[in-house]
Amino acid sequence: MSQPYFEDVEPGDEIGPLIKQPTREEVRTFAKLSHLSGRFISEEGALDEGTDRMIVSSWQSMGYLAQLITNWMGQEGLLSKLQVSFHRVVEPERRLECRAVVTDTLTLEDRHIVMLDAFM
């Protein structure tokens, strides 16, 4: 994708989709690298924690949204704030579509800012 420039971005512009379908092995690998265990490693680990299934870490899900945004903004962009709220559990093998919509553009002093609503 080519580098987007502030002058070319408008509210309502759509970004994505970035498609992800994390396998059980990818979820386990992410969990191990992040020092997570239990429900992020296996069904047995989930049962030990009182839940009924293995799930994808919220950190991993947030990483997918960050990847969508940073891929779009390119080398010249700067991600200064990422605020996330989680509304449901994500299971391994589920197809995820990450998308974003430009909600506002503004200039403060010499900084050009693009506000996005990103979702999965």
Side-chain angles (χ1 to χ4, degrees):
M1 173 175 236
S2 63
Q3 177 69 50
Y5 292 95
F6 183 78
E7 298 77 21
D8 301 323
V9 177
E10 296 181 16
D13 287 354
E14 296 182 6
I15 301 165
L18 173 68
I19 306 297
K20 294 291 187 173
Q21 192 163 355
T23 65
R24 292 181 178 285
E25 191 55 39
E26 288 170 339
V27 173
R28 278 188 204 97
T29 299
F30 183 91
K32 289 177 182 175
L33 290 171
S34 302
H35 305 287
L36 302 173
S37 59
R39 65 189 174 276
F40 307 111
I41 301 292
S42 67
E43 275 70 20
E44 295 79 20
L47 290 172
D48 289 346
E49 292 183 353
T51 59
D52 62 345
R53 63 189 180 273
M54 181 179 172
I55 65 171
V56 176
S57 163
S58 58
W59 295 353
Q60 189 169 357
S61 297
M62 185 173 59
Y64 295 150
L65 291 176
Q67 181 182 2
L68 170 75
I69 295 165
T70 57
N71 284 354
W72 171 77
M73 69 186 198
Q75 294 292 321
E76 299 299 317
L78 171 68
L79 178 59
S80 62
K81 183 176 180 180
L82 179 62
Q83 188 172 354
V84 180
S85 101
F86 301 97
H87 298 276
R88 74 174 106 169
V89 172
V90 176
E91 298 176 37
E93 311 298 338
R94 183 177 178 135
R95 183 177 187 272
L96 306 170
E97 284 189 27
C98 303
R99 297 178 182 268
V101 175
V102 175
T103 57
D104 201 3
T105 60
L106 56 127
T107 302
L108 293 175
E109 297 174 8
D110 62 339
R111 292 183 52 192
H112 298 304
I113 299 170
V114 177
M115 308 275 296
L116 303 172
D117 185 7
F119 50 93
M120 187 180 312

